[in-house]
Amino acid sequence: MFALKTLLAAGVVAFALPASADILISGQYLIVSRGAMAAGAAYFVVENTGATDDHLVGASSTFAARTELHTHIASPNGVMQMVSVPGGWIIPAGGIHVLQRGGDHVMLMGMSPRPQMGDVVTLTLTFEKAGDVPVQIVVGAPAGTVPMRPVTP
Ligand SMILES: [Cu+2]
């Protein structure tokens, strides 16, 4: 019983801590589709300031029925299609990984209630080393955003 209590206490403490010092998330925003599906895609930059590689292995949320790591690939007829990326992405030590429109993103399906422009929602990113990293995301494209915004490390 003591061990269980200790574990629970440790879990609460870990959850209350800010994001891992080695993982920084920036430029995050969420685009919500029109139509009945209430699907959305989240974009952001992950920076790993640590000395060892980390691995973004998953994402979760409390406001969508499904939350998945996705990317875009060109089908044989040239049409861009979204596919899930169950293996996630390696974030190299001292490097960045950019999730951006037309490329990698976090897909949210069956959002309820549908987030409105300007709402702030919480997405939890799960890293192999940094663990769960909650990220506050504003709904809507930031002013001046262009689809393939270059990001410098
Ligand atoms: Cu997608």
Side-chain angles (χ1 to χ4, degrees):
M1 194 59 195
F2 176 76
L4 177 60
K5 276 185 178 168
T6 305
L7 281 174
L8 288 173
V12 168
V13 169
F15 186 75
L17 287 171
S20 160
D22 289 345
I23 293 292
L24 299 174
I25 309 295
S26 61
Q28 62 269 35
Y29 63 99
L30 172 69
I31 299 295
V32 179
S33 70
R34 295 185 179 85
M37 278 292 291
Y43 306 95
F44 47 87
V45 177
V46 185
E47 179 177 4
N48 180 0
T49 61
T52 55
D53 294 355
D54 206 339
H55 187 178
L56 176 55
V57 294
S60 60
S61 70
T62 57
F63 60 96
R66 287 165 64 194
T67 305
E68 297 179 355
L69 305 180
H70 268 202
T71 195
H72 282 90
I73 57 166
S75 66
N77 59 8
V79 176
M80 295 300 280
Q81 293 181 324
M82 290 195 302
V83 292
S84 76
V85 184
W89 302 288
I90 299 288
I91 318 297
I96 64 167
H97 187 88
V98 180
L99 286 77
Q100 63 187 347
R101 296 173 90 169
D104 299 337
H105 56 280
V106 174
M107 192 80 198
L108 297 128
M109 286 161 280
M111 294 185 289
S112 179
R114 171 192 293 268
Q116 302 298 313
M117 286 282 281
D119 283 357
V120 178
V121 296
T122 301
L123 188 65
T124 300
L125 304 177
T126 303
F127 293 84
E128 197 173 281
K129 294 198 176 74
D132 286 347
V133 176
V135 180
Q136 306 267 91
I137 300 191
V138 177
V139 177
T145 301
V146 294
M148 289 298 194
R149 179 166 54 121
V151 176
T152 50

